[in-house]
Amino acid sequence: MKYKNTYVEEEDYTKIIVTHIESGTFIAVMLIDTEDVHLLGNVHITKTGYAISKRVPVANLVMNFKSSRELVVDHINGNRLDNRKNNIRILSASD
């Protein structure tokens, strides 16, 4: 599937509205700190609700982190599409 990303800058973060190119169907809205937008390519949303760019979860790009068996990126508020730095942290996989 091909996706279109529309960027909407807010005061201290950017909303990325993801829609399907052919049908125009709304898919989701992802949040990211405006200073991190440059890290992204085209964003799409997985069936499990994660934002992916450049074949990597956006949270991992923001944290410059590669998940492992021991450590993972966690979304503090439970919203997998909120990839602002104040909402993501690295935890042990057992947490």
Side-chain angles (χ1 to χ4, degrees):
M1 251 190 228
K2 304 266 182 176
Y3 299 95
K4 175 184 175 188
N5 297 164
T6 303
Y7 294 78
V8 179
E9 278 192 44
E10 299 293 339
E11 197 167 309
D12 59 347
Y13 65 95
T14 297
K15 292 181 190 176
I16 300 176
I17 302 165
V18 181
T19 55
H20 185 267
I21 286 179
E22 293 173 7
S23 68
T25 304
F26 169 81
I27 305 296
V29 174
M30 187 200 81
L31 307 178
I32 189 168
D33 293 312
T34 300
E35 67 185 22
D36 294 324
V37 169
H38 74 278
L39 299 171
L40 304 177
N42 195 45
V43 174
H44 70 276
I45 310 301
T46 67
K47 291 178 182 178
T48 56
Y50 288 97
I52 303 291
S53 180
K54 301 178 182 178
R55 298 181 183 211
V56 177
V58 171
N60 290 48
L61 290 173
V62 169
M63 298 297 284
N64 191 27
F65 177 75
K66 184 176 179 178
S67 294
S68 67
R69 289 183 183 185
E70 295 83 27
L71 299 172
V72 295
V73 175
D74 176 58
H75 293 84
I76 296 166
N77 67 7
N79 179 353
R80 296 173 177 173
L81 298 177
D82 185 348
N83 290 289
R84 296 174 291 175
K85 283 192 279 305
N86 68 356
N87 184 52
I88 49 182
R89 61 187 172 185
I90 297 171
L91 293 177
S92 68
S94 62
D95 286 339

